[in-house]
Amino acid sequence: MTFSQNFKDDRSASADGSEALDLSSKLRDAGLRPTKQRLSLAHLLYSQGNRHVSAEALHEEALGAKVDVSLATVYNTLHQFTDAGLLRAVAVESSKTYFDTNTTDHHHFFIENENRVVDVPASQINVSDLPEAPEGMEIARVDVIVRLRKKT
Amino acid sequence: MTFSQNFKDDRSASADGSEALDLSSKLRDAGLRPTKQRLSLAHLLYSQGNRHVSAEALHEEALGAKVDVSLATVYNTLHQFTDAGLLRAVAVESSKTYFDTNTTDHHHFFIENENRVVDVPASQINVSDLPEAPEGMEIARVDVIVRLRKKT
DNA sequence: TTCCGTGCAAACCATTTGCATAAGC
DNA sequence: GCTTATGCAAATGGTTTGCACGGAA
Protein backbone atom coordinates (compact mmCIF):
# COMPACT_ATOMS: atom_id res chain seq x y z
CA MET A 1 0.00 0.00 0.00
CA THR A 2 2.58 2.54 1.04
CA PHE A 3 6.00 2.72 -0.46
CA SER A 4 9.18 3.13 1.46
CA GLN A 5 10.94 6.37 0.78
CA ASN A 6 14.33 4.76 1.37
CA PHE A 7 15.22 2.56 -1.52
CA LYS A 8 18.85 1.55 -1.41
CA ASP A 9 18.82 0.14 -4.90
CA ASP A 10 16.38 2.09 -6.96
CA ARG A 11 17.13 0.78 -10.42
CA SER A 12 16.48 -2.94 -10.28
CA ALA A 13 13.89 -5.01 -8.56
CA SER A 14 15.00 -6.78 -5.46
CA ALA A 15 16.54 -10.22 -5.76
CA ASP A 16 13.30 -12.01 -5.02
CA GLY A 17 11.42 -9.73 -7.39
CA SER A 18 9.21 -8.38 -4.64
CA GLU A 19 9.04 -4.82 -5.92
CA ALA A 20 8.11 -6.04 -9.39
CA LEU A 21 5.40 -8.14 -7.79
CA ASP A 22 4.20 -5.17 -5.76
CA LEU A 23 3.89 -3.02 -8.83
CA SER A 24 2.28 -5.82 -10.77
CA SER A 25 -0.43 -6.29 -8.21
CA LYS A 26 -0.81 -2.58 -7.76
CA LEU A 27 -1.57 -2.29 -11.46
CA ARG A 28 -3.70 -5.39 -11.55
CA ASP A 29 -5.69 -4.21 -8.56
CA ALA A 30 -6.32 -1.01 -10.45
CA GLY A 31 -7.60 -2.96 -13.43
CA LEU A 32 -4.55 -2.29 -15.56
CA ARG A 33 -2.49 -4.98 -17.23
CA PRO A 34 1.04 -4.93 -15.93
CA THR A 35 2.82 -4.37 -19.21
CA LYS A 36 6.50 -3.69 -19.50
CA GLN A 37 5.98 0.03 -20.12
CA ARG A 38 3.51 0.50 -17.30
CA LEU A 39 5.74 -1.34 -14.88
CA SER A 40 8.74 0.71 -15.89
CA LEU A 41 6.89 3.99 -15.55
CA ALA A 42 5.38 2.89 -12.25
CA HIS A 43 8.85 2.07 -11.03
CA LEU A 44 10.14 5.50 -11.99
CA LEU A 45 7.15 7.14 -10.35
CA TYR A 46 6.93 5.21 -7.11
CA SER A 47 10.43 4.24 -6.14
CA GLN A 48 11.63 7.71 -5.16
CA GLY A 49 9.13 9.02 -2.67
CA ASN A 50 6.50 11.56 -3.59
CA ARG A 51 6.98 13.27 -6.90
CA HIS A 52 5.36 15.82 -9.18
CA VAL A 53 6.11 15.11 -12.80
CA SER A 54 5.01 16.37 -16.16
CA ALA A 55 4.50 13.94 -19.01
CA GLU A 56 7.47 15.28 -20.85
CA ALA A 57 9.77 15.07 -17.84
CA LEU A 58 8.76 11.47 -17.19
CA HIS A 59 9.30 10.61 -20.82
CA GLU A 60 12.82 12.00 -20.77
CA GLU A 61 13.54 10.24 -17.54
CA ALA A 62 12.36 6.97 -19.03
CA LEU A 63 14.53 7.36 -22.10
CA GLY A 64 17.49 8.23 -19.88
CA ALA A 65 16.88 5.01 -17.95
CA LYS A 66 16.90 3.03 -21.20
CA VAL A 67 13.18 2.44 -20.94
CA ASP A 68 11.82 2.67 -24.44
CA VAL A 69 8.38 4.29 -24.33
CA SER A 70 6.73 6.75 -26.64
CA LEU A 71 5.48 10.08 -25.38
CA ALA A 72 1.94 9.08 -26.33
CA THR A 73 2.20 6.03 -24.10
CA VAL A 74 3.47 8.17 -21.26
CA TYR A 75 0.41 10.39 -21.60
CA ASN A 76 -1.90 7.42 -21.83
CA THR A 77 -0.31 5.78 -18.83
CA LEU A 78 -0.42 8.91 -16.69
CA HIS A 79 -4.10 9.32 -17.42
CA GLN A 80 -4.86 5.69 -16.80
CA PHE A 81 -3.02 5.85 -13.48
CA THR A 82 -4.89 9.03 -12.61
CA ASP A 83 -8.27 7.52 -13.46
CA ALA A 84 -7.35 4.49 -11.38
CA GLY A 85 -6.50 6.67 -8.39
CA LEU A 86 -2.79 5.90 -8.47
CA LEU A 87 -1.93 9.49 -9.36
CA ARG A 88 -3.51 12.85 -8.91
CA ALA A 89 -3.45 15.76 -11.35
CA VAL A 90 -2.34 19.04 -9.85
CA ALA A 91 -3.84 22.29 -11.07
CA VAL A 92 -1.45 25.21 -11.34
CA GLU A 93 -1.71 28.00 -13.81
CA SER A 94 1.25 26.87 -15.82
CA SER A 95 0.28 25.39 -19.16
CA LYS A 96 1.56 21.97 -18.17
CA THR A 97 -0.22 19.31 -16.20
CA TYR A 98 1.62 17.92 -13.20
CA PHE A 99 0.94 14.47 -11.84
CA ASP A 100 1.40 13.87 -8.15
CA THR A 101 2.31 10.44 -6.82
CA ASN A 102 0.87 11.41 -3.45
CA THR A 103 -2.84 10.67 -3.61
CA THR A 104 -3.54 11.28 0.06
CA ASP A 105 -5.13 14.44 1.41
CA HIS A 106 -2.64 17.28 1.16
CA HIS A 107 -1.97 20.65 -0.44
CA HIS A 108 0.73 22.34 -2.49
CA PHE A 109 3.30 25.03 -2.69
CA PHE A 110 3.78 26.36 -6.18
CA ILE A 111 7.09 28.10 -6.76
CA GLU A 112 6.24 30.67 -9.37
CA ASN A 113 9.53 31.31 -11.09
CA GLU A 114 10.59 27.69 -11.14
CA ASN A 115 7.25 26.16 -12.09
CA ARG A 116 7.77 23.61 -9.37
CA VAL A 117 5.23 21.93 -7.11
CA VAL A 118 5.96 20.86 -3.53
CA ASP A 119 3.69 18.98 -1.15
CA VAL A 120 2.28 20.53 1.98
CA PRO A 121 0.86 17.97 4.41
CA ALA A 122 -2.83 18.49 5.09
CA SER A 123 -1.99 18.86 8.77
CA GLN A 124 -0.01 22.02 8.08
CA ILE A 125 -2.93 23.99 6.68
CA ASN A 126 -6.25 24.48 8.34
CA VAL A 127 -9.23 25.12 6.11
CA SER A 128 -12.52 25.66 7.84
CA ASP A 129 -15.88 27.36 7.43
CA LEU A 130 -16.31 26.03 3.93
CA PRO A 131 -19.35 27.42 2.15
CA GLU A 132 -22.29 25.21 1.33
CA ALA A 133 -22.20 23.53 -2.05
CA PRO A 134 -25.04 24.76 -4.26
CA GLU A 135 -28.18 22.66 -4.61
CA GLY A 136 -27.51 19.27 -6.15
CA MET A 137 -23.76 19.64 -5.92
CA GLU A 138 -21.23 18.23 -3.53
CA ILE A 139 -17.68 19.10 -2.70
CA ALA A 140 -15.34 16.74 -4.50
CA ARG A 141 -12.14 18.16 -3.11
CA VAL A 142 -10.62 21.30 -1.67
CA ASP A 143 -7.28 22.30 -3.13
CA VAL A 144 -5.11 24.88 -1.49
CA ILE A 145 -2.24 26.28 -3.52
CA VAL A 146 0.23 28.47 -1.69
CA ARG A 147 2.04 30.50 -4.31
CA LEU A 148 5.60 31.35 -3.47
CA ARG A 149 7.88 33.90 -5.04
CA LYS A 150 11.45 34.90 -4.41
CA LYS A 151 11.68 37.42 -1.64
CA THR A 152 12.84 40.75 -3.01
CA MET B 1 -24.28 45.26 -22.36
CA THR B 2 -25.59 48.72 -21.69
CA PHE B 3 -23.78 51.63 -20.15
CA SER B 4 -26.55 52.21 -17.64
CA GLN B 5 -26.05 49.24 -15.41
CA ASN B 6 -26.80 49.31 -11.72
CA PHE B 7 -23.75 49.42 -9.53
CA LYS B 8 -24.57 49.00 -5.89
CA ASP B 9 -21.13 49.12 -4.43
CA ASP B 10 -18.96 50.12 -7.33
CA ARG B 11 -16.97 53.11 -6.28
CA SER B 12 -15.47 53.48 -9.74
CA ALA B 13 -18.86 54.19 -11.22
CA SER B 14 -18.78 57.79 -12.25
CA ALA B 15 -20.78 60.50 -10.62
CA ASP B 16 -20.42 63.13 -13.28
CA GLY B 17 -18.12 61.74 -15.96
CA SER B 18 -19.02 59.06 -18.46
CA GLU B 19 -18.05 55.44 -18.06
CA ALA B 20 -15.76 55.81 -21.02
CA LEU B 21 -13.77 58.36 -19.07
CA ASP B 22 -13.57 56.03 -16.10
CA LEU B 23 -12.25 53.23 -18.23
CA SER B 24 -9.84 55.59 -19.93
CA SER B 25 -8.31 56.66 -16.67
CA LYS B 26 -8.37 53.13 -15.34
CA LEU B 27 -6.25 52.10 -18.31
CA ARG B 28 -4.08 55.16 -18.18
CA ASP B 29 -3.45 54.69 -14.48
CA ALA B 30 -2.35 51.16 -15.29
CA GLY B 31 0.10 52.51 -17.86
CA LEU B 32 -1.92 51.31 -20.84
CA ARG B 33 -2.96 53.53 -23.70
CA PRO B 34 -6.75 53.64 -23.89
CA THR B 35 -7.15 52.36 -27.41
CA LYS B 36 -10.48 51.56 -28.97
CA GLN B 37 -9.97 47.82 -28.57
CA ARG B 38 -8.82 48.01 -24.97
CA LEU B 39 -11.72 50.26 -24.06
CA SER B 40 -14.22 47.96 -25.72
CA LEU B 41 -12.84 44.89 -24.02
CA ALA B 42 -12.66 46.69 -20.69
CA HIS B 43 -16.26 47.65 -21.11
CA LEU B 44 -17.29 44.07 -21.79
CA LEU B 45 -15.28 42.90 -18.82
CA TYR B 46 -16.20 45.47 -16.21
CA SER B 47 -19.77 46.54 -16.90
CA GLN B 48 -21.42 43.33 -15.77
CA GLY B 49 -20.15 42.68 -12.29
CA ASN B 50 -17.55 40.02 -11.59
CA ARG B 51 -16.83 37.64 -14.40
CA HIS B 52 -14.61 34.70 -15.31
CA VAL B 53 -13.86 34.59 -19.00
CA SER B 54 -11.62 32.69 -21.33
CA ALA B 55 -9.91 34.49 -24.19
CA GLU B 56 -12.02 32.71 -26.74
CA ALA B 57 -15.28 33.49 -24.97
CA LEU B 58 -14.39 37.17 -24.72
CA HIS B 59 -13.43 37.25 -28.36
CA GLU B 60 -16.75 35.80 -29.41
CA GLU B 61 -18.58 38.17 -27.14
CA ALA B 62 -16.71 41.09 -28.68
CA LEU B 63 -17.54 40.01 -32.20
CA GLY B 64 -21.16 39.57 -31.19
CA ALA B 65 -21.17 43.13 -29.86
CA LYS B 66 -19.80 44.38 -33.19
CA VAL B 67 -16.44 45.12 -31.63
CA ASP B 68 -13.85 44.19 -34.20
CA VAL B 69 -10.84 42.72 -32.41
CA SER B 70 -8.58 39.86 -33.35
CA LEU B 71 -8.12 36.91 -31.07
CA ALA B 72 -4.44 37.77 -30.74
CA THR B 73 -5.36 41.21 -29.47
CA VAL B 74 -7.76 39.67 -26.97
CA TYR B 75 -4.95 37.50 -25.64
CA ASN B 76 -2.55 40.43 -25.55
CA THR B 77 -5.08 42.62 -23.81
CA LEU B 78 -5.99 40.03 -21.20
CA HIS B 79 -2.35 39.55 -20.33
CA GLN B 80 -1.67 43.27 -20.22
CA PHE B 81 -4.65 43.75 -17.93
CA THR B 82 -3.46 40.89 -15.76
CA ASP B 83 0.08 42.27 -15.52
CA ALA B 84 -1.39 45.65 -14.64
CA GLY B 85 -3.45 44.13 -11.85
CA LEU B 86 -6.81 44.76 -13.51
CA LEU B 87 -7.46 41.06 -13.91
CA ARG B 88 -6.39 37.90 -12.22
CA ALA B 89 -5.66 34.56 -13.85
CA VAL B 90 -7.46 31.64 -12.26
CA ALA B 91 -5.77 28.26 -12.11
CA VAL B 92 -8.00 25.28 -12.68
CA GLU B 93 -6.93 22.06 -14.24
CA SER B 94 -8.89 22.61 -17.39
CA SER B 95 -6.66 23.34 -20.34
CA LYS B 96 -7.97 26.87 -20.66
CA THR B 97 -6.96 29.93 -18.72
CA TYR B 98 -9.75 31.88 -17.05
CA PHE B 99 -9.45 35.57 -16.25
CA ASP B 100 -11.25 36.93 -13.24
CA THR B 101 -12.41 40.54 -13.10
CA ASN B 102 -12.46 40.34 -9.31
CA THR B 103 -8.93 41.13 -8.15
CA THR B 104 -9.74 41.34 -4.47
CA ASP B 105 -8.98 38.59 -1.99
CA HIS B 106 -11.33 35.70 -2.60
CA HIS B 107 -11.51 32.05 -3.61
CA HIS B 108 -13.28 29.86 -6.14
CA PHE B 109 -15.69 27.10 -6.74
CA PHE B 110 -14.87 25.06 -9.80
CA ILE B 111 -17.77 23.12 -11.24
CA GLU B 112 -16.11 20.09 -12.73
CA ASN B 113 -18.50 18.98 -15.41
CA GLU B 114 -19.30 22.48 -16.61
CA ASN B 115 -15.79 23.89 -16.50
CA ARG B 116 -17.18 26.93 -14.78
CA VAL B 117 -15.64 29.14 -12.11
CA VAL B 118 -17.64 30.92 -9.39
CA ASP B 119 -16.36 33.34 -6.77
CA VAL B 120 -16.34 32.52 -3.09
CA PRO B 121 -15.83 35.57 -0.86
CA ALA B 122 -12.72 35.34 1.27
CA SER B 123 -14.91 35.72 4.32
CA GLN B 124 -16.63 32.41 3.59
CA ILE B 125 -13.49 30.30 3.87
CA ASN B 126 -11.10 30.29 6.74
CA VAL B 127 -7.52 29.32 6.01
CA SER B 128 -5.16 29.27 8.95
CA ASP B 129 -1.96 27.67 10.20
CA LEU B 130 -0.17 28.26 6.94
CA PRO B 131 3.27 26.68 6.76
CA GLU B 132 6.38 28.83 6.70
CA ALA B 133 7.65 29.79 3.30
CA PRO B 134 11.06 28.26 2.62
CA GLU B 135 14.18 30.37 3.10
CA GLY B 136 14.27 33.36 0.75
CA MET B 137 10.70 32.86 -0.39
CA GLU B 138 7.52 34.61 0.50
CA ILE B 139 3.88 33.77 0.07
CA ALA B 140 2.52 35.60 -2.94
CA ARG B 141 -1.03 34.36 -2.62
CA VAL B 142 -3.10 31.51 -1.27
CA ASP B 143 -5.65 30.08 -3.66
CA VAL B 144 -8.39 27.81 -2.47
CA ILE B 145 -10.32 25.91 -5.11
CA VAL B 146 -13.41 24.06 -3.97
CA ARG B 147 -14.15 21.47 -6.61
CA LEU B 148 -17.81 20.67 -7.05
CA ARG B 149 -19.40 17.77 -8.82
CA LYS B 150 -22.99 16.79 -9.40
CA LYS B 151 -24.38 14.88 -6.47
CA THR B 152 -25.03 11.27 -7.45
C1' DT C 1 -6.51 -16.48 -30.79
C1' DT C 2 -8.48 -12.58 -29.07
C1' DC C 3 -7.84 -8.25 -27.24
C1' DC C 4 -5.60 -4.70 -25.26
C1' DG C 5 -1.54 -1.76 -25.33
C1' DT C 6 1.93 0.59 -27.87
C1' DG C 7 4.39 3.45 -31.32
C1' DC C 8 4.32 6.62 -34.68
C1' DA C 9 2.92 10.51 -36.96
C1' DA C 10 -0.52 13.45 -37.92
C1' DA C 11 -4.11 16.14 -35.89
C1' DC C 12 -5.73 19.35 -32.46
C1' DC C 13 -6.36 23.30 -29.64
C1' DA C 14 -5.04 27.07 -26.87
C1' DT C 15 -1.77 30.38 -27.02
C1' DT C 16 2.28 33.20 -28.81
C1' DT C 17 5.05 35.58 -32.15
C1' DG C 18 6.89 38.25 -36.33
C1' DC C 19 6.08 41.66 -39.14
C1' DA C 20 3.66 45.09 -41.81
C1' DT C 21 -0.04 48.42 -41.11
C1' DA C 22 -2.78 51.60 -38.28
C1' DA C 23 -3.72 54.37 -34.34
C1' DG C 24 -2.52 57.31 -30.20
C1' DC C 25 -0.01 61.28 -28.51
C1' DG D 1 6.71 62.13 -36.55
C1' DC D 2 7.60 58.88 -33.25
C1' DT D 3 6.02 55.35 -30.64
C1' DT D 4 2.99 51.84 -29.29
C1' DA D 5 -1.03 48.67 -30.69
C1' DT D 6 -3.23 45.82 -33.73
C1' DG D 7 -4.25 42.22 -37.24
C1' DC D 8 -3.09 38.48 -39.64
C1' DA D 9 -1.19 34.25 -40.42
C1' DA D 10 2.17 31.25 -39.35
C1' DA D 11 4.64 29.03 -35.58
C1' DT D 12 4.59 26.83 -31.18
C1' DG D 13 3.91 23.63 -27.36
C1' DG D 14 1.35 20.52 -24.88
C1' DT D 15 -1.73 17.00 -25.55
C1' DT D 16 -4.80 13.67 -28.27
C1' DT D 17 -6.04 10.47 -31.78
C1' DG D 18 -6.18 6.91 -35.65
C1' DC D 19 -4.37 3.07 -37.18
C1' DA D 20 -1.31 -0.94 -37.88
C1' DC D 21 1.63 -3.88 -35.29
C1' DG D 22 3.10 -6.64 -31.21
C1' DG D 23 2.60 -8.56 -26.75
C1' DA D 24 -0.44 -10.29 -22.73
C1' DA D 25 -4.03 -13.50 -21.36
Side-chain angles (χ1 to χ4, degrees), chain A residues 89-93 97 109 111-114 120 123-134 136-152, chain B residues 89-93 97 109 111-114 120 123-134 136-152:
Chain A
V90 181
V92 291
E93 75 206 328
T97 301
F109 281 127
I111 297 152
E112 295 194 327
N113 28 315
E114 297 176 40
V120 179
S123 63
Q124 284 187 30
I125 296 188
N126 180 275
V127 181
S128 54
D129 303 332
L130 281 179
E132 293 281 311
M137 299 262 123
E138 62 185 345
I139 294 178
R141 196 167 85 198
V142 178
D143 284 345
V144 179
I145 299 174
V146 180
R147 279 159 209 286
L148 299 179
R149 70 157 95 83
K150 272 208 203 78
K151 201 181 280 179
T152 46
Chain B
V90 180
V92 290
E93 75 207 329
T97 300
F109 280 127
I111 297 151
E112 295 194 327
N113 28 315
E114 298 176 40
V120 179
S123 62
Q124 282 186 31
I125 296 188
N126 180 274
V127 181
S128 54
D129 303 332
L130 281 179
E132 292 281 309
M137 300 260 119
E138 63 185 345
I139 294 178
R141 196 167 86 200
V142 178
D143 283 345
V144 178
I145 299 174
V146 180
R147 277 158 211 287
L148 300 179
R149 70 158 93 84
K150 272 207 202 79
K151 202 180 280 180
T152 47

Side-chain angles (χ1 to χ4, degrees), chain A residues 3-106:
Chain A
F3 280 78
S4 165
Q5 317 239 6
N6 297 325
F7 278 77
K8 290 159 196 155
D9 177 5
D10 72 343
R11 271 291 280 125
S12 43
S14 39
D16 61 1
S18 64
E19 192 218 26
L21 277 183
D22 272 334
L23 291 176
S24 270
S25 15
K26 182 168 185 159
L27 294 185
R28 237 183 268 278
D29 291 352
L32 297 169
R33 278 205 222 158
T35 66
K36 199 167 30 163
Q37 290 85 343
R38 284 176 181 161
L39 284 169
S40 301
L41 293 176
H43 176 71
L44 290 172
L45 287 169
Y46 298 112
S47 68
Q48 305 177 47
N50 290 332
R51 313 190 57 193
H52 305 85
V53 291
S54 65
E56 185 144 299
L58 184 60
H59 184 227
E60 279 169 20
E61 193 179 330
L63 297 186
K66 305 281 185 305
V67 172
D68 207 12
V69 276
S70 72
L71 182 56
T73 296
V74 171
Y75 273 106
N76 289 336
T77 303
L78 287 171
H79 285 139
Q80 290 152 357
F81 282 17
T82 300
D83 292 345
L86 303 177
L87 288 174
R88 175 169 146 183
V90 181
V92 291
E93 75 206 328
S94 144
S95 53
K96 282 187 190 166
T97 301
Y98 290 88
F99 295 88
D100 188 346
T101 58
N102 181 357
T103 56
T104 65
D105 184 30
H106 69 288

